Amino acid sequence: MKIDFTLNGQPTTFEIAPHDTLLRALRDNGIFGVKFGDEAGMSGSDTVLLDGDPVLAGMILAAQVAGHDVLTIEGVGGAQERGWRGTQPLHPLQTAFIETGAIQCGYESPAFILCALALLRKNPSPTEDEVREAIAGVLSRDTGYVKPVQAILRAAAVMRGEAVPPIESAGGIPLPVGLFSHPTPPDDLSFGGGAISGGDQGDRGDRGGTATRVRTTPMPIMTLAPESENLRQVGKPKIKVDARKLIQGKPAYTDDIEHRGMLVAKVLWSPVAHALIKHIDVSKARALEGVHAVLTYHDLPRVVYTTAGQSDPEPGPHDNFSLDYKVRYVGDRVAMVAAETEAIARQALELIEVEYEELPAVFDPRESMQPGAPILHDEPESWHIEDRDRNLAAVIEWQVGDIKAGFAQADRIFERTYFSPKVQQTPIEPHVCVSWWDEDDRLVIRTSTQVPFHVRRILAPVLGLPEKRIRVIKPRIGGGFGVKQEVLIEDVAAHLTIVTGRPVRFEFTREEEFYTSRSRHPMYITMRTGVTNDGRIVANDMYALSDTGAYGSHALTVAGNTGHKAMALYNAPNIHFRTEIVYTNTPPSGAYRGYGVPQGFWALDPHIEWICREMGFDPLEFRLNNAVKPGDLHPISKAWNEGREAAPEYIRTCGLADCVRQGAAAIRWHDKFANEAWHRVPGQPHLRRGIGVAAVMQGTSIPRLDMGAASIKMNDDGSFNLLVGATDLGTGSDTVLAQIAAEVLGCEVSDFITYSSDTDFTPFDKGAYASSTTYISGRAAQIAAEQVAGQMKQVAARMFNKDEGYDLVAPDDLELRDQGVWTMDGRRISHREIALNSLHHENQHQIMGIGSYVSPESPPPFAAQYATITLDTETGQFTVDELIMAVDSGVIINPVTASGQIEGGMVQALGYGHCEEMAFDANGSMLNRQFGPYKIYRADEMPELGVIFVETYEESGPFGAKAVAEIPMDGVGPALANAVYDAAGVWITDAPILPEKVWSALRKS
């Protein structure tokens, strides 16, 4: 059937099926700015304006818009002006999103802008509350909502004709003095003031006397390292290199592609938790018109592999098959289908007849190793499993000093068990993959992955193809968070392309993303700590029971990280760690941002707080007195290392003391902690305020294992092509790497054409994980740029030395800056002149550099995270009022993108500590498979967020940088648990801190 309507101001006719949603119809007709996020209309990424009002394109039929006006992001910003002279003009909202760094992965940015546009047309002077309410239906997993709100208020001011300040450059602030003497912080340590939007911004609840008007610029508070103060590109809030295309909704993501003859893939998932496939009949499905392939385990070679996208050799169990005769959890694969349409593929799944021989199942990791428990992996092909008869995927144990002797020295010993649950990464863009044969009979896999080179290497034996016949393309990714570090869906599309010869598209539904994807490893962690009366930790012991689910993806390294990172913060002379990682009949666990460290700190930091409360120690002093310091030997590196074994490492930079100090000043710790008047809410005796702190550390890359590479080529006009294998997940790494190269080459980020990542022509990189992109790939980009700079100086020196009347110059005497090469006496040759001379005139050669880097060490970032809450003692419900994080991540390359990483990470961690948990019934089937039942924070539910960067100069990093992406995950949950105790006097040891848990604890106390 045909429908006529107005699309982005133009009369339009679509040919549609009666059941087509508007989302499907728009995307089928090349309108890619509207995105799929879920089936239930909870993510909001499919927002469009229908007659000026926001609607969800996935929740209405295309036929319903006949005769109406539809606006998508492609129609925002004025008439399109194609051609070499220019591009589509931007709307003030789009400009503000670019300027403030409100675009991270960018997947939900079009929806934010459309909701904001509808608001501003009706209300040109909205308050912050009104902005948050307007965008509350759009979920973001990476922004923290701070910068989108700032951008909308900034655009509103512009649209009202008001002047707005430029985005500030990074600037130092004076340090507050007297950490433990209740200092009064300087005004610029407050996270409340200065909104440019007109009118009262409203009060979103008590914040301890701090105004709640938003900061109008995206710059965090920064204390600069002296070495970074004179840099021109590094440390500056540069606009992301791909911001413009993302904010206009141009094709950028995996699914933003059209292929003639593309088939749709679907998978039949197991309805039972543990069973043998006794019989499977696919004859009816294969006979269905429009079906091109149905595959079962009978049809594929039995090749065992791991889905963990890690460097070779992968350290964990190899226990996966593309299709197997046994299913091990509700949601395991049974069969694959490729058909002409999604409807036909779904119908084909219903025609597959399967007879299961159900087996006993085990869902509790505490029961998995017990005698008589069902064995999940008894197949002979799997390997690297510690003890399959006990469902033990892996075991790690190490010791520093003598733990028994340490406990003998202690005056008091504290022991308690903590639990962290199974939670999902929930990127708003679900897993999606498209595969096809190219003109050279090579298999092309376009996929939303963090690890394109690992995908190629791991899939080659699974598909029976040499690696040279596989090309993996990573477009823009709509959020990764570790779950896209898995080789999870690519083999499905690839197998079906191989057997059909046709392009195949495979995308998870939101339900599938939840129950068959990957998740954070649940852990039971028992802490045992020995302390002396004078406040020294003399023995620290951790036992972690980790639940890897049905398969051992990342089983060994995640749990190893739990001990390696968390237990290293406190430099006790005697430390012991043991972890057992077990199989259960639950959806597989895997990589999740933080990679085991959040579980460790969920146990360690509340345990430290408990010790402080019981023994009367000041919580800040006790943490700092026992924490590692600059010059200390990394305590765990003597016993175990995540990478290849080598010499022990030293802590060269540690800004933890300043982080504690500045965070305490910003949240006014000394005015609140132990202040009974602050804890009370006047007139509401059932409400209590609480304040909590957590001190944390993370790692930066995997030493002696992670490798990154970059290449830089100079073009005729003096611009550069920067090719990197690292994957930008919305972190801004493409921009950060360009900033590093631009700093070396004396030019602007806009002088670079940056591309990542394609296994055919970008250099190898291990991918985006382990907090390593800036540190590893950035160092590779720096090395490549230094090679290019050296060649440019040589060409420039020859050109300068032709000038008569001047002394000869040596290449080492020249300086690159301001898009030129300068002599000491002030002469300049432009980059363009150098390029033309090199490519077209004398001594012709291509100026080009290739750099690769493997770090010998893993310099840890440090942070202090603070939280305040208001708790209702009658219900157990509490509201998070403030979250402030002060972090030492070395020199910050781009403060806007880095603070966006911190804000987004804190909110993701807030959900982990407060409300997120995957729930299962007695048969192992997940109950909350959609947003809503699975609760993540919305824009209108947010606490106030504050970010403070305390720079240290890490000599091993590019321009002094360390990692920033994962550490915000570590301390929010512990800070909340400590704040709950501060408010109500009860310890909640199992996450998330749900109201019923607090209520029950209060009743018991």
Side-chain angles (χ1 to χ4, degrees):
M1 60 181 290
K2 290 184 178 181
I3 57 168
D4 297 313
F5 65 107
T6 301
L7 176 62
N8 298 327
Q10 300 297 320
T12 303
T13 300
F14 276 2
E15 183 76 38
I16 63 167
H19 59 269
D20 280 349
T21 65
L22 178 59
L23 171 65
R24 186 75 269 149
L26 288 170
R27 292 190 63 82
D28 283 349
N29 285 274
I31 306 299
F32 294 122
V34 54
K35 309 294 186 185
F36 170 74
D38 70 310
E39 302 83 12
M42 300 300 292
S43 69
S45 59
D46 56 340
T47 297
V48 299
L49 299 188
L50 180 60
D51 297 333
D53 294 321
V55 300
L56 301 173
M59 301 303 291
I60 63 174
L61 294 175
Q64 292 177 265
V65 306
H68 292 274
D69 183 275
V70 173
L71 181 69
T72 71
I73 194 65
E74 287 87 346
V76 176
Q80 295 195 10
E81 298 177 2
R82 302 293 184 184
W84 71 271
R85 287 185 177 273
T87 57
Q88 180 178 345
L90 296 180
H91 188 277
L93 277 165
Q94 293 170 310
T95 300
F97 266 68
I98 291 173
E99 291 176 341
T100 60
I103 309 165
Q104 289 199 56
C105 78
Y107 197 76
E108 66 277 3
S109 296
F112 276 140
I113 287 177
L114 290 167
C115 289
L117 183 62
L119 168 69
L120 297 182
R121 284 174 174 175
K122 297 176 181 178
N123 180 3
S125 300
T127 65
E128 179 188 353
D129 280 353
E130 289 167 337
V131 170
R132 289 182 177 274
E133 183 179 357
I135 64 173
V138 181
L139 297 180
S140 175
R141 200 54 161 162
D142 54 0
T143 66
Y145 305 104
V146 174
K147 289 177 173 56
V149 171
Q150 293 168 343
I152 293 166
L153 290 170
R154 183 179 179 87
V158 171
M159 293 168 69
R160 293 193 302 269
E162 301 172 14
V164 297
I167 305 301
E168 305 113 316
S169 61
I173 61 170
L175 291 175
V177 296
L179 173 59
F180 302 112
S181 60
H182 300 240
T184 300
D187 290 340
D188 53 2
L189 268 178
S190 174
F191 286 92
I196 56 176
S197 178
D200 184 6
Q201 294 301 299
D203 188 355
R204 294 173 52 233
D206 186 277
R207 297 291 188 270
T210 301
T212 61
R213 295 167 67 175
V214 298
R215 288 169 58 83
T216 59
T217 61
M219 292 296 298
I221 292 173
M222 295 189 68
T223 302
L224 300 182
E227 296 91 338
S228 71
E229 291 180 348
N230 296 320
L231 298 174
R232 295 184 176 93
Q233 300 295 323
V234 166
K236 305 304 185 287
K238 298 295 181 179
I239 288 172
K240 293 181 68 172
V241 296
D242 55 359
R244 188 179 183 100
K245 72 178 179 183
L246 297 180
I247 212 63
Q248 292 177 296
K250 292 182 178 179
Y253 300 88
T254 298
D255 199 34
D256 298 347
I257 186 173
E258 296 177 273
H259 259 298
R260 194 173 296 176
M262 186 183 294
L263 302 177
V264 176
K266 284 293 176 184
V267 170
L268 180 67
W269 310 107
S270 170
V272 296
H274 199 195
L276 296 172
I277 299 175
K278 191 173 181 180
H279 179 69
I280 184 166
D281 185 354
V282 298
S283 58
K284 294 179 182 178
R286 284 176 174 158
L288 182 66
E289 185 177 356
V291 171
H292 288 256
V294 181
L295 302 179
T296 73
Y297 72 90
H298 293 296
D299 306 302
L300 297 178
R302 190 168 173 79
V303 179
V304 68
Y305 69 105
T306 174
T307 65
Q310 297 176 279
S311 294
D312 180 70
E314 298 94 351
H318 287 56
D319 52 13
N320 276 263
F321 303 88
S322 284
L323 290 170
D324 197 4
Y325 55 76
K326 186 178 185 180
V327 293
R328 298 173 179 84
Y329 69 102
V330 176
D332 210 349
R333 294 179 184 176
V334 176
M336 309 172 184
V337 169
E340 295 283 350
T341 67
E342 183 171 336
I344 295 172
R346 291 184 181 278
Q347 186 180 356
L349 294 181
E350 295 174 358
L351 294 175
I352 298 174
E353 299 174 359
V354 187
E355 182 181 349
Y356 297 98
E357 180 183 327
E358 288 200 51
L359 303 171
V362 59
F363 305 114
D364 189 329
R366 294 167 295 184
E367 300 173 1
S368 185
M369 290 187 294
Q370 300 304 314
I375 299 173
L376 271 68
H377 286 279
D378 52 358
E379 67 279 358
E381 297 90 348
S382 291
W383 57 281
H384 229 298
I385 295 174
E386 179 73 24
D387 186 347
R388 66 180 73 238
D389 293 333
R390 297 180 60 219
N391 288 321
L392 262 176
V395 172
I396 299 172
E397 184 170 15
W398 48 256
Q399 183 170 218
V400 175
D402 186 334
I403 194 68
K404 291 183 179 179
F407 282 119
Q409 299 169 20
D411 293 309
R412 293 191 62 180
I413 296 174
F414 295 82
E415 182 172 347
R416 183 174 279 173
T417 297
Y418 304 82
F419 173 71
S420 57
K422 181 181 280 290
V423 292
Q424 229 277 327
Q425 297 88 337
T426 65
I428 305 303
E429 177 204 40
H431 282 80
V432 61
C433 174
V434 179
S435 60
W436 66 92
W437 291 111
D438 71 7
E439 61 277 9
D440 296 314
D441 289 328
R442 297 175 68 233
L443 184 67
V444 182
I445 301 174
R446 177 183 166 105
T447 179
S448 57
T449 181
Q450 297 176 226
V451 286
F453 287 91
H454 293 333
V455 169
R456 181 178 64 174
R457 174 178 50 81
I458 290 171
L459 283 189
V462 173
L463 302 177
L465 294 173
E467 290 179 33
K468 66 181 180 181
R469 289 194 64 198
I470 302 173
R471 176 186 179 188
V472 179
I473 301 172
K474 186 282 311 174
R476 160 62 60 221
I477 297 177
F481 316 118
V483 74
K484 293 176 182 176
Q485 192 183 327
E486 306 278 346
V487 186
L488 199 58
I489 63 169
E490 293 82 0
D491 63 313
V492 173
H495 281 307
L496 292 169
T497 287
I498 288 171
V499 299
T500 64
R502 297 270 293 271
V504 174
R505 172 183 172 273
F506 182 41
E507 181 180 46
F508 274 169
T509 66
R510 180 54 57 181
E511 284 200 2
E512 291 167 346
E513 190 71 49
F514 270 116
Y515 71 78
T516 193
S517 180
R518 295 293 185 264
S519 56
R520 193 180 295 286
H521 288 74
M523 291 189 191
Y524 288 92
I525 296 180
T526 299
M527 290 295 310
R528 190 166 184 255
T529 304
V531 186
T532 61
N533 287 333
D534 62 355
R536 291 180 298 118
I537 300 174
V538 292
N540 216 9
D541 182 270
M542 175 187 283
Y543 168 72
L545 177 62
S546 179
D547 181 357
T548 192
Y551 297 98
S553 174
H554 298 275
L556 179 79
T557 45
V558 163
N561 233 25
T562 303
H564 181 261
K565 301 296 191 296
M567 294 292 278
L569 179 59
Y570 297 109
N571 200 1
N574 308 289
I575 308 173
H576 176 253
F577 174 73
R578 178 174 172 81
T579 180
E580 295 175 302
I581 305 101
V582 300
Y583 291 111
T584 61
N585 293 111
T586 59
S589 306
Y592 189 164
R593 186 180 189 179
Y595 207 76
V597 186
Q599 296 97 310
F601 277 111
W602 169 252
L604 176 63
D605 197 89
H607 197 71
I608 294 295
E609 185 76 10
W610 179 38
I611 293 169
C612 293
R613 299 284 185 157
E614 286 290 312
M615 298 189 72
F617 300 135
D618 181 286
L620 303 186
E621 284 184 320
F622 182 81
R623 285 175 169 85
L624 288 179
N625 288 342
N626 287 280
V628 292
K629 297 170 179 61
D632 284 357
L633 179 67
H634 187 299
I636 311 306
S637 67
K638 297 177 288 187
W640 188 83
N641 199 293
E642 186 183 2
R644 297 186 173 102
E645 297 301 327
E649 300 174 34
Y650 286 85
I651 305 295
R652 305 186 190 280
T653 54
C654 176
L656 181 60
D658 282 339
C659 291
V660 169
R661 180 180 177 185
Q662 293 201 41
I667 208 163
R668 292 175 167 81
W669 171 273
H670 299 290
D671 295 333
K672 298 173 182 178
F673 186 75
N675 182 346
E676 179 57 28
W678 176 81
H679 284 77
R680 293 194 301 266
V681 178
Q684 301 184 77
H686 62 292
L687 298 182
R688 293 278 298 174
R689 296 191 185 100
I691 187 168
V693 62
V696 296
M697 68 179 282
Q698 186 72 33
T700 301
S701 80
I702 304 174
R704 298 166 294 279
L705 180 64
D706 281 349
M707 178 229 172
S711 69
I712 299 175
K713 175 177 71 73
M714 194 175 195
N715 301 313
D716 301 61
D717 60 354
S719 67
F720 302 91
N721 287 5
L722 171 60
L723 276 67
V724 291
T727 53
D728 191 332
L729 315 177
T731 58
S733 64
D734 283 358
T735 308
V736 164
L737 300 185
Q739 284 182 261
I740 291 170
E743 186 69 49
V744 175
L745 294 173
C747 60
E748 296 293 325
V749 171
S750 58
D751 292 321
F752 285 87
I753 302 167
T754 306
Y755 190 88
S756 67
S757 166
D758 184 322
T759 57
D760 260 16
F761 61 86
T762 57
F764 174 83
D765 194 284
K766 83 284 169 253
Y769 65 83
S771 291
S772 58
T773 301
T774 297
Y775 183 75
I776 297 290
S777 305
R779 189 72 182 92
Q782 184 180 12
I783 293 169
E786 288 169 348
Q787 293 177 8
V788 170
Q791 296 171 44
M792 291 173 64
K793 288 180 179 180
Q794 289 177 351
V795 173
R798 289 196 300 268
M799 296 173 70
F800 280 125
N801 289 335
K802 289 182 178 181
D803 294 343
E804 295 183 2
Y806 292 94
D807 292 335
L808 295 179
V809 298
D812 290 344
D813 295 332
L814 300 176
E815 179 186 5
L816 275 68
R817 58 180 169 85
D818 302 327
Q819 296 168 309
V821 180
W822 297 74
T823 63
M824 296 177 67
D825 57 13
R827 289 177 290 159
R828 176 182 182 270
I829 295 176
S830 70
H831 284 183
R832 176 183 175 84
E833 292 173 293
I834 292 171
L836 289 173
N837 184 279
S838 175
L839 291 172
H840 300 286
H841 302 156
E842 55 186 340
N843 300 312
Q844 289 174 262
H845 77 283
Q846 171 69 65
I847 294 178
M848 185 174 185
I850 299 176
S852 61
Y853 185 69
V854 178
S855 174
E857 51 193 311
S858 175
F862 296 88
Q865 293 177 284
Y866 291 85
T868 62
I869 67 168
T870 301
L871 185 144
D872 188 330
T873 58
E874 293 180 352
T875 65
Q877 177 68 51
F878 66 90
T879 300
V880 184
D881 300 321
E882 298 167 291
L883 288 179
I884 288 178
M885 181 173 180
V887 57
D888 157 29
S889 289
V891 170
I892 301 302
I893 305 297
N894 188 323
V896 172
T897 58
S899 59
Q901 285 287 288
I902 297 294
E903 291 156 359
M906 282 199 290
V907 178
Q908 204 166 21
L910 176 60
Y912 178 48
H914 195 194
C915 55
E916 292 185 37
E917 184 175 19
M918 297 170 69
F920 298 87
D921 65 17
N923 297 314
S925 182
M926 186 178 174
L927 297 171
N928 51 341
R929 302 180 179 184
Q930 290 285 358
F931 292 128
Y934 187 91
K935 175 64 182 175
I936 71 172
Y937 264 77
R938 302 191 316 246
D940 59 342
E941 298 168 327
M942 289 297 302
E944 239 182 279
L945 299 181
V947 179
I948 303 170
F949 285 123
V950 178
E951 285 193 346
T952 58
Y953 190 85
E954 175 57 49
E955 290 188 359
S956 66
F959 293 102
K962 294 192 288 189
V964 74
E966 291 187 293
I967 195 168
M969 298 297 298
D970 296 343
V972 174
L976 290 183
N978 297 339
V980 167
Y981 179 81
D982 187 60
V986 295
W987 293 110
I988 307 301
T989 57
D990 60 321
I993 311 173
L994 300 176
E996 55 265 34
K997 296 177 184 178
V998 180
W999 183 88
S1000 296
L1002 285 168
R1003 299 287 80 75
K1004 290 178 182 178
S1005 67

